[in-house]
Amino acid sequence: MLKNLITIATKHGSSSGMPSEYPRLVIRSTMAPTPPAPALFEPKFYLLLQGAKRMTIAGRTFDCSAGTCAVASIGLPFVSEVVEASPTQPYLSVELTLDAGIVASLLLDMREQNPTEWQAGAMSLAQVDEGLVEPLGRLMNLLDAPFEIPVLAAQFERELYYRLLSGPLGGRLRQIGANNSRFAQIKMAAEWIGENAKTSMSVEWLASHVGMSVTSFHRHFKAVTASSPLAYQRQLRLLEARRQLASGEANVTETAYTSGYVSASQFSREYKKTFGVPPSQHAALLRR
């Protein structure tokens, strides 16, 4: 069932995670296992085509093999590692950043006026089926004919979303297009934190901003992201700090301040607690 997708992915895969000719579509490829690395699992559809991967989110570990697919409805800090890959059988995966507008439009066409019930967490996994493989294959095949992307890509992607909505990942995808639910309020808050991670944050103000009491906001935010609002912000700051250190664009002290910290010593403590090594040592390791 995945054979055609593997053929396309082998041709267009990238170890760097660079976007394909269709910018929201990324095909990853690596020929060797990778060490655990932190990242942000943004709202997207993910399908593992070949190899094996382990993901850890908020202390929960998910072992994924070929045919595992996932939908995340909010950006989630996580740790991932490729555990099975070789030159003859490289790790291959496909990621499609999800468009909330397409989801909302489909829900209207499907006459789902109030489609989203409260659902804990922000990511769901399932095994892929033929209904998903067919439109995804059509979308990926356009990478061999990029001049057709402006004409055909939107309809193939829309069909893929429809198949997702009709399957076991549909509930999670509905959250992305919802605008009238408790989840939508948490999603709005998480997006605000993501856009303003470097600035000081008042949880009381943010709760009021999304129309919730502080108590309810704390409870529901943790139910979705598995962390408190302040911990979520801290994780995003540290991910940005790691990116800056890896790129060499700033030293440790500069990185602390540009990531939103007011104290370099606090930054170093939290960085070491999260990544296991001090930022100065990690910077050298990341740039090798």
Side-chain angles (χ1 to χ4, degrees), residues 103-182:
V103 179
S105 172
L106 270 169
L107 293 177
L108 287 175
D109 290 346
M110 295 167 70
R111 302 183 185 278
E112 296 196 26
Q113 301 301 319
N114 188 24
T116 306
E117 298 179 359
W118 175 257
Q119 202 175 3
M123 188 180 79
S124 295
L125 288 84
Q127 284 299 115
V128 72
D129 59 37
E130 195 67 39
L132 292 176
V133 170
E134 290 180 359
L136 180 59
R138 286 192 284 273
L139 184 62
M140 292 173 63
N141 273 319
L142 292 178
L143 299 179
D144 286 331
F147 58 90
E148 295 184 349
I149 288 176
V151 180
L152 298 174
Q155 69 188 63
F156 295 160
E157 184 175 358
R158 184 177 169 86
E159 181 186 354
L160 174 63
Y161 285 28
Y162 175 74
R163 300 301 177 190
L164 282 168
L165 286 168
S166 302
L169 298 176
R172 194 64 67 192
L173 187 61
R174 283 171 174 79
Q175 291 179 329
I176 294 174
N179 58 12
N180 59 349
S181 67
R182 184 66 79 195

Coordinates of all heavy atoms in Angstrom, one line a residue, residues 103-182:
V103 N -9.9 23.0 6.7 CA -10.7 22.1 7.7 C -12.1 22.8 8.0 O -13.1 22.1 7.9 CB -10.0 21.9 9.0 CG1 -10.8 21.1 9.9 CG2 -8.6 21.2 8.7
A104 N -12.1 24.1 8.3 CA -13.3 24.8 8.6 C -14.3 24.7 7.4 O -15.5 24.5 7.6 CB -13.0 26.2 9.0
S105 N -13.7 24.9 6.2 CA -14.6 24.9 5.0 C -15.2 23.5 4.8 O -16.4 23.4 4.5 CB -13.7 25.3 3.8 OG -14.5 25.1 2.6
L106 N -14.4 22.5 5.0 CA -14.9 21.1 4.8 C -16.0 20.8 5.9 O -17.0 20.2 5.6 CB -13.8 20.1 5.0 CG -13.1 19.7 3.7 CD1 -11.8 18.9 4.0 CD2 -14.0 18.9 2.8
L107 N -15.8 21.3 7.1 CA -16.8 21.0 8.1 C -18.1 21.7 7.8 O -19.2 21.1 8.1 CB -16.3 21.5 9.5 CG -15.1 20.8 10.1 CD1 -14.6 21.4 11.4 CD2 -15.4 19.3 10.3
L108 N -18.1 22.9 7.2 CA -19.3 23.5 6.7 C -20.0 22.7 5.6 O -21.2 22.5 5.6 CB -19.0 24.9 6.3 CG -18.7 26.0 7.3 CD1 -18.3 27.3 6.7 CD2 -19.9 26.2 8.3
D109 N -19.2 22.3 4.7 CA -19.7 21.5 3.6 C -20.3 20.2 4.1 O -21.2 19.6 3.5 CB -18.6 21.2 2.5 CG -18.3 22.4 1.7 OD1 -19.0 23.4 1.8 OD2 -17.2 22.4 1.1
M110 N -19.7 19.6 5.1 CA -20.2 18.4 5.7 C -21.4 18.6 6.7 O -21.8 17.7 7.4 CB -19.1 17.7 6.4 CG -17.9 17.2 5.5 SD -16.4 16.7 6.4 CE -16.9 15.2 7.1
R111 N -21.8 19.9 6.8 CA -22.9 20.3 7.6 C -22.7 20.0 9.1 O -23.6 19.6 9.8 CB -24.2 19.7 7.2 CG -24.5 20.0 5.7 CD -25.9 19.4 5.3 NE -26.1 19.7 3.9 CZ -26.6 20.8 3.3 NH1 -26.8 21.8 4.1 NH2 -26.8 20.9 2.0
E112 N -21.4 20.2 9.5 CA -21.1 20.0 10.9 C -21.0 21.4 11.6 O -19.9 22.0 11.5 CB -19.8 19.2 11.1 CG -19.9 17.8 10.5 CD -18.7 16.9 11.0 OE1 -18.2 17.2 12.1 OE2 -18.4 16.0 10.3
Q113 N -22.1 21.8 12.1 CA -22.1 23.2 12.7 C -21.4 23.3 14.0 O -21.0 24.3 14.4 CB -23.6 23.6 12.8 CG -24.3 23.6 11.5 CD -23.7 24.5 10.4 OE1 -23.2 25.6 10.7 NE2 -23.6 24.1 9.2
N114 N -21.5 22.2 14.8 CA -20.8 22.2 16.1 C -20.1 20.9 16.3 O -20.5 20.1 17.1 CB -21.9 22.4 17.2 CG -21.3 22.7 18.6 OD1 -20.1 23.1 18.7 ND2 -22.0 22.3 19.6
P115 N -19.0 20.7 15.5 CA -18.5 19.4 15.4 C -17.5 18.9 16.5 O -17.2 17.8 16.5 CB -17.7 19.5 14.1 CG -17.2 20.9 14.0 CD -18.3 21.7 14.7
T116 N -17.0 19.9 17.3 CA -15.9 19.5 18.2 C -16.3 19.3 19.6 O -16.8 20.3 20.3 CB -14.8 20.6 18.1 OG1 -14.5 20.8 16.7 CG2 -13.6 20.2 18.9
E117 N -16.2 18.1 20.1 CA -16.4 17.9 21.5 C -15.0 17.9 22.2 O -14.0 17.8 21.6 CB -17.0 16.5 21.7 CG -18.4 16.4 21.1 CD -19.0 15.0 21.3 OE1 -18.3 14.1 21.9 OE2 -20.1 14.7 20.9
W118 N -15.0 18.2 23.6 CA -13.8 18.3 24.3 C -13.0 16.9 24.2 O -13.6 15.9 24.4 CB -14.0 18.6 25.7 CG -12.8 18.6 26.5 CD1 -12.3 17.6 27.4 CD2 -11.7 19.5 26.5 NE1 -11.1 17.9 27.9 CE2 -10.7 19.1 27.3 CE3 -11.5 20.7 25.8 CZ2 -9.5 19.8 27.5 CZ3 -10.4 21.4 26.0 CH2 -9.4 21.0 26.8
Q119 N -11.8 17.0 23.9 CA -10.9 15.9 23.8 C -9.6 16.2 24.4 O -8.9 17.2 24.0 CB -10.7 15.5 22.3 CG -10.3 14.1 22.0 CD -10.3 13.8 20.5 OE1 -10.5 14.7 19.7 NE2 -10.0 12.6 20.1
A120 N -9.2 15.4 25.4 CA -7.9 15.7 26.0 C -6.7 15.5 25.1 O -6.8 14.7 24.1 CB -7.7 14.8 27.3
G121 N -5.6 16.1 25.3 CA -4.4 16.0 24.5 C -4.6 16.8 23.2 O -5.5 17.5 23.0
A122 N -3.5 16.7 22.4 CA -3.5 17.4 21.1 C -2.9 16.6 20.0 O -2.7 17.2 18.9 CB -2.7 18.8 21.3
M123 N -2.7 15.3 20.2 CA -2.2 14.5 19.1 C -2.8 13.1 19.2 O -3.1 12.6 20.3 CB -0.7 14.3 19.2 CG -0.1 13.6 18.0 SD 1.7 13.4 18.1 CE 1.8 12.0 19.3
S124 N -3.1 12.6 18.0 CA -3.7 11.2 17.9 C -2.9 10.5 16.9 O -2.5 11.0 15.9 CB -5.2 11.3 17.6 OG -5.9 11.9 18.6
L125 N -2.8 9.1 17.1 CA -2.1 8.3 16.2 C -3.0 7.2 15.7 O -4.0 6.8 16.4 CB -0.9 7.6 16.8 CG 0.3 8.5 17.1 CD1 0.2 9.2 18.4 CD2 1.6 7.7 17.1
A126 N -2.8 6.7 14.5 CA -3.6 5.6 13.9 C -2.8 4.9 12.8 O -1.7 5.4 12.5 CB -4.9 6.1 13.3
Q127 N -3.3 3.8 12.3 CA -2.6 3.2 11.1 C -3.3 3.7 9.8 O -4.5 3.9 9.8 CB -2.8 1.7 11.2 CG -1.9 1.0 12.2 CD -0.4 1.2 11.9 OE1 0.3 1.8 12.6 NE2 0.0 0.7 10.8
V128 N -2.4 4.0 8.9 CA -2.9 4.6 7.6 C -3.8 3.6 6.9 O -3.6 2.4 7.0 CB -1.7 5.1 6.8 CG1 -1.0 3.9 6.2 CG2 -2.2 6.0 5.7
D129 N -4.7 4.1 6.1 CA -5.5 3.2 5.3 C -5.5 3.7 3.8 O -5.0 4.8 3.5 CB -7.0 3.1 5.8 CG -7.7 4.4 5.8 OD1 -7.5 5.3 4.9 OD2 -8.5 4.7 6.8
E130 N -6.1 2.9 2.9 CA -6.0 3.2 1.5 C -6.7 4.5 1.2 O -6.2 5.3 0.3 CB -6.7 2.1 0.7 CG -6.4 2.1 -0.8 CD -4.9 1.8 -1.1 OE1 -4.4 0.9 -0.4 OE2 -4.4 2.4 -2.0
G131 N -7.7 4.9 1.9 CA -8.4 6.2 1.7 C -7.5 7.4 1.9 O -7.7 8.4 1.2
L132 N -6.5 7.3 2.8 CA -5.6 8.4 2.9 C -4.4 8.3 1.9 O -3.9 9.3 1.4 CB -5.0 8.3 4.3 CG -5.9 8.7 5.5 CD1 -5.2 8.5 6.8 CD2 -6.4 10.1 5.4
V133 N -4.0 7.1 1.6 CA -2.8 6.9 0.8 C -3.1 7.4 -0.6 O -2.2 8.0 -1.3 CB -2.4 5.4 0.7 CG1 -1.4 5.1 -0.4 CG2 -1.9 4.9 2.0
E134 N -4.3 7.2 -1.2 CA -4.6 7.6 -2.5 C -4.5 9.1 -2.8 O -3.7 9.6 -3.6 CB -6.0 7.1 -2.9 CG -6.0 5.6 -3.1 CD -7.4 5.1 -3.5 OE1 -8.3 5.9 -3.7 OE2 -7.5 3.9 -3.7
P135 N -5.2 10.0 -2.0 CA -5.0 11.4 -2.2 C -3.6 11.9 -1.9 O -3.1 12.9 -2.5 CB -6.1 12.1 -1.4 CG -6.4 11.1 -0.3 CD -6.2 9.7 -1.0
L136 N -3.0 11.3 -0.8 CA -1.6 11.7 -0.5 C -0.7 11.4 -1.6 O 0.2 12.2 -2.0 CB -1.2 11.1 0.8 CG 0.2 11.4 1.3 CD1 0.4 12.9 1.5 CD2 0.6 10.6 2.5
G137 N -0.9 10.2 -2.3 CA 0.0 9.8 -3.4 C -0.2 10.8 -4.6 O 0.8 11.2 -5.2
R138 N -1.4 11.2 -4.8 CA -1.7 12.2 -5.9 C -1.0 13.5 -5.6 O -0.4 14.1 -6.5 CB -3.2 12.4 -6.1 CG -3.8 11.2 -6.8 CD -5.2 11.6 -7.3 NE -6.2 11.6 -6.1 CZ -6.8 10.5 -5.7 NH1 -6.6 9.3 -6.3 NH2 -7.7 10.6 -4.7
L139 N -1.0 13.9 -4.3 CA -0.4 15.2 -3.9 C 1.2 15.1 -4.1 O 1.8 16.0 -4.6 CB -0.7 15.5 -2.5 CG -0.2 16.9 -1.9 CD1 -0.8 18.0 -2.7 CD2 -0.6 17.0 -0.5
M140 N 1.7 14.0 -3.6 CA 3.2 13.8 -3.7 C 3.6 13.6 -5.2 O 4.7 14.1 -5.5 CB 3.6 12.6 -2.9 CG 3.4 12.8 -1.4 SD 3.7 11.3 -0.4 CE 5.4 10.9 -0.8
N141 N 2.8 13.0 -6.0 CA 3.2 12.8 -7.4 C 3.4 14.2 -8.1 O 4.1 14.3 -9.1 CB 2.1 12.0 -8.1 CG 2.4 10.5 -8.0 OD1 3.5 10.1 -8.1 ND2 1.4 9.7 -7.8
L142 N 2.7 15.2 -7.6 CA 2.9 16.5 -8.2 C 4.3 17.1 -8.1 O 4.7 18.0 -8.8 CB 1.9 17.5 -7.6 CG 0.4 17.3 -7.8 CD1 -0.4 18.4 -7.1 CD2 0.1 17.4 -9.3
L143 N 5.1 16.5 -7.2 CA 6.5 17.0 -7.0 C 7.3 16.7 -8.3 O 8.3 17.3 -8.5 CB 7.1 16.3 -5.8 CG 6.5 16.6 -4.5 CD1 7.2 15.9 -3.3 CD2 6.4 18.1 -4.2
D144 N 6.8 15.7 -9.1 CA 7.5 15.4 -10.3 C 6.9 16.2 -11.5 O 7.5 16.2 -12.6 CB 7.3 13.9 -10.7 CG 8.1 13.0 -9.9 OD1 9.2 13.4 -9.4 OD2 7.7 11.8 -9.6
A145 N 5.9 17.0 -11.2 CA 5.3 17.9 -12.2 C 4.9 19.2 -11.5 O 3.7 19.5 -11.4 CB 4.1 17.2 -12.8
P146 N 5.9 20.0 -11.0 CA 5.6 21.1 -10.2 C 4.7 22.2 -10.9 O 4.0 23.0 -10.2 CB 7.0 21.7 -9.9 CG 7.9 21.1 -10.8 CD 7.3 19.7 -11.2
F147 N 4.7 22.2 -12.2 CA 3.9 23.2 -13.0 C 2.4 22.9 -12.8 O 1.6 23.7 -13.0 CB 4.3 23.1 -14.4 CG 4.1 21.8 -15.1 CD1 2.9 21.4 -15.7 CD2 5.2 20.9 -15.1 CE1 2.8 20.2 -16.3 CE2 5.0 19.6 -15.7 CZ 3.8 19.3 -16.3
E148 N 2.1 21.6 -12.3 CA 0.7 21.3 -12.1 C 0.2 21.6 -10.6 O -1.0 21.6 -10.3 CB 0.5 19.8 -12.3 CG 0.7 19.4 -13.8 CD 0.3 17.9 -14.0 OE1 0.2 17.2 -13.0 OE2 0.2 17.5 -15.2
I149 N 1.2 22.0 -9.8 CA 0.8 22.2 -8.4 C -0.2 23.3 -8.2 O -1.2 23.1 -7.5 CB 2.1 22.5 -7.5 CG1 2.9 21.2 -7.4 CG2 1.8 23.1 -6.2 CD1 4.2 21.4 -6.7
P150 N -0.1 24.5 -8.9 CA -1.1 25.5 -8.7 C -2.5 25.1 -9.1 O -3.5 25.7 -8.6 CB -0.5 26.7 -9.5 CG 0.9 26.4 -9.7 CD 1.0 24.9 -9.7
V151 N -2.6 24.2 -10.0 CA -3.9 23.8 -10.5 C -4.5 22.6 -9.7 O -5.7 22.7 -9.4 CB -3.8 23.3 -12.0 CG1 -5.1 22.9 -12.6 CG2 -3.2 24.5 -12.8
L152 N -3.7 21.7 -9.3 CA -4.3 20.4 -8.8 C -4.0 20.2 -7.3 O -4.8 19.5 -6.6 CB -3.7 19.2 -9.5 CG -4.0 19.2 -11.0 CD1 -3.2 18.0 -11.7 CD2 -5.5 19.0 -11.2
A153 N -3.0 20.8 -6.7 CA -2.6 20.5 -5.3 C -3.8 20.8 -4.3 O -4.0 20.0 -3.4 CB -1.4 21.3 -4.9
A154 N -4.5 21.9 -4.5 CA -5.5 22.2 -3.5 C -6.6 21.2 -3.4 O -7.1 20.8 -2.4 CB -6.1 23.6 -3.8
Q155 N -7.0 20.6 -4.6 CA -8.1 19.7 -4.6 C -7.6 18.3 -4.0 O -8.4 17.6 -3.3 CB -8.7 19.5 -6.0 CG -7.8 18.8 -7.0 CD -8.4 18.9 -8.4 OE1 -8.6 19.9 -9.0 NE2 -8.7 17.7 -8.9
F156 N -6.4 17.9 -4.3 CA -5.9 16.7 -3.7 C -5.7 16.8 -2.2 O -6.0 15.9 -1.4 CB -4.5 16.4 -4.3 CG -4.6 16.0 -5.8 CD1 -3.4 16.1 -6.5 CD2 -5.7 15.7 -6.4 CE1 -3.4 15.8 -7.9 CE2 -5.8 15.4 -7.8 CZ -4.6 15.5 -8.5
E157 N -5.3 18.0 -1.7 CA -5.1 18.2 -0.3 C -6.5 18.2 0.4 O -6.7 17.7 1.5 CB -4.4 19.5 0.0 CG -4.1 19.8 1.5 CD -3.3 21.0 1.7 OE1 -2.9 21.7 0.8 OE2 -3.1 21.3 2.9
R158 N -7.5 18.9 -0.2 CA -8.8 18.9 0.3 C -9.4 17.5 0.5 O -10.0 17.2 1.5 CB -9.7 19.8 -0.5 CG -11.1 20.0 0.0 CD -11.9 20.9 -0.9 NE -13.3 20.9 -0.6 CZ -13.9 21.7 0.3 NH1 -13.1 22.6 1.0 NH2 -15.2 21.7 0.6
E159 N -9.2 16.6 -0.5 CA -9.6 15.3 -0.4 C -8.9 14.5 0.7 O -9.6 13.8 1.5 CB -9.4 14.5 -1.7 CG -9.9 13.1 -1.7 CD -9.6 12.3 -2.9 OE1 -9.0 12.8 -3.9 OE2 -9.8 11.0 -2.9
L160 N -7.6 14.8 0.9 CA -6.9 14.2 2.0 C -7.5 14.5 3.3 O -7.7 13.7 4.2 CB -5.4 14.6 1.9 CG -4.6 14.1 3.1 CD1 -4.5 12.6 3.2 CD2 -3.1 14.7 3.0
Y161 N -7.8 15.8 3.5 CA -8.5 16.3 4.8 C -9.8 15.6 5.0 O -10.2 15.2 6.1 CB -8.7 17.8 4.7 CG -7.5 18.6 4.9 CD1 -6.2 18.2 4.6 CD2 -7.6 19.9 5.4 CE1 -5.1 19.0 4.7 CE2 -6.5 20.7 5.6 CZ -5.2 20.3 5.2 OH -4.1 21.1 5.4
Y162 N -10.6 15.5 3.9 CA -11.9 14.8 4.0 C -11.7 13.4 4.5 O -12.5 12.9 5.3 CB -12.6 14.9 2.6 CG -13.9 14.1 2.6 CD1 -15.0 14.6 3.3 CD2 -14.0 12.8 2.0 CE1 -16.2 13.9 3.3 CE2 -15.2 12.1 2.1 CZ -16.3 12.7 2.7 OH -17.5 12.0 2.8
R163 N -10.8 12.6 3.9 CA -10.5 11.3 4.3 C -10.1 11.2 5.8 O -10.5 10.3 6.5 CB -9.5 10.6 3.4 CG -9.8 10.6 1.9 CD -11.1 9.8 1.7 NE -11.5 9.8 0.3 CZ -12.6 9.4 -0.2 NH1 -13.6 9.0 0.6 NH2 -12.9 9.5 -1.5
L164 N -9.3 12.2 6.2 CA -8.9 12.2 7.6 C -10.1 12.5 8.5 O -10.2 11.8 9.5 CB -7.8 13.3 7.8 CG -6.4 13.0 7.4 CD1 -5.6 14.3 7.4 CD2 -5.8 12.0 8.3
L165 N -10.9 13.4 8.1 CA -12.1 13.7 8.9 C -13.1 12.5 9.0 O -13.8 12.4 10.0 CB -12.9 14.9 8.3 CG -12.2 16.3 8.5 CD1 -12.9 17.3 7.6 CD2 -12.3 16.7 9.9
S166 N -13.0 11.7 8.0 CA -13.9 10.5 8.0 C -13.4 9.3 8.7 O -14.0 8.3 8.9 CB -14.3 10.1 6.5 OG -14.8 11.2 5.8
G167 N -12.1 9.4 9.2 CA -11.5 8.3 9.8 C -11.2 8.5 11.3 O -11.7 9.4 11.9
P168 N -10.3 7.6 11.9 CA -10.1 7.7 13.3 C -9.4 8.9 13.8 O -9.4 9.2 15.0 CB -9.2 6.4 13.6 CG -8.6 6.1 12.2 CD -9.7 6.5 11.2
L169 N -8.7 9.7 12.9 CA -8.0 10.9 13.3 C -8.9 12.1 13.1 O -8.5 13.3 13.3 CB -6.8 11.1 12.5 CG -5.7 10.0 12.7 CD1 -4.5 10.3 11.7 CD2 -5.2 10.0 14.1
G170 N -10.2 11.9 12.7 CA -11.1 13.0 12.4 C -11.4 13.9 13.6 O -11.4 15.1 13.4
G171 N -11.5 13.3 14.7 CA -11.8 14.1 15.9 C -10.7 15.1 16.2 O -11.0 16.3 16.6
R172 N -9.5 14.7 16.0 CA -8.3 15.6 16.3 C -8.3 16.7 15.2 O -8.0 17.8 15.5 CB -7.0 14.8 16.3 CG -5.9 15.5 16.8 CD -6.0 15.9 18.3 NE -6.0 14.7 19.2 CZ -6.4 14.8 20.5 NH1 -6.8 15.9 21.0 NH2 -6.4 13.7 21.2
L173 N -8.5 16.3 13.9 CA -8.5 17.3 12.9 C -9.6 18.3 13.0 O -9.4 19.5 12.7 CB -8.6 16.6 11.5 CG -8.4 17.5 10.3 CD1 -7.0 18.1 10.3 CD2 -8.7 16.7 9.0
R174 N -10.8 17.9 13.5 CA -11.9 18.8 13.7 C -11.5 20.0 14.7 O -11.9 21.1 14.6 CB -13.1 18.1 14.3 CG -13.9 17.3 13.3 CD -14.9 16.4 13.9 NE -15.8 15.8 12.9 CZ -15.4 14.8 12.2 NH1 -14.2 14.2 12.4 NH2 -16.3 14.2 11.3
Q175 N -10.6 19.6 15.7 CA -10.2 20.7 16.6 C -9.5 21.8 15.9 O -9.6 23.0 16.3 CB -9.2 20.1 17.6 CG -9.9 19.1 18.6 CD -8.9 18.5 19.6 OE1 -7.7 18.3 19.3 NE2 -9.4 18.2 20.8
I176 N -8.8 21.5 14.8 CA -8.0 22.6 14.1 C -9.0 23.6 13.5 O -8.7 24.8 13.4 CB -7.1 21.9 13.1 CG1 -6.0 21.1 13.8 CG2 -6.5 23.0 12.1 CD1 -5.1 20.3 12.8
G177 N -10.1 23.1 13.0 CA -11.1 24.0 12.3 C -12.1 24.6 13.2 O -13.0 25.3 12.8
A178 N -12.1 24.2 14.5 CA -13.2 24.6 15.4 C -12.9 26.1 15.9 O -11.8 26.5 16.0 CB -13.2 23.7 16.7
N179 N -14.0 26.8 16.1 CA -13.8 28.2 16.6 C -14.9 28.5 17.6 O -15.1 29.6 18.0 CB -14.0 29.2 15.4 CG -15.3 29.1 14.7 OD1 -16.2 28.4 15.1 ND2 -15.4 29.7 13.5
N180 N -15.5 27.4 18.1 CA -16.6 27.7 19.1 C -16.5 26.7 20.3 O -17.5 26.4 20.8 CB -18.0 27.6 18.4 CG -18.2 26.2 17.8 OD1 -17.2 25.4 17.7 ND2 -19.4 26.0 17.4
S181 N -15.3 26.3 20.6 CA -15.2 25.2 21.6 C -14.2 25.6 22.7 O -13.4 26.6 22.5 CB -14.8 23.9 21.0 OG -13.5 24.0 20.5
R182 N -14.1 24.9 23.8 CA -13.1 25.2 24.8 C -11.7 24.9 24.2 O -10.8 25.6 24.5 CB -13.4 24.2 26.0 CG -12.5 24.4 27.1 CD -12.7 25.8 27.8 NE -13.9 25.8 28.7 CZ -14.5 26.9 29.1 NH1 -14.0 28.0 28.8 NH2 -15.5 26.8 29.9

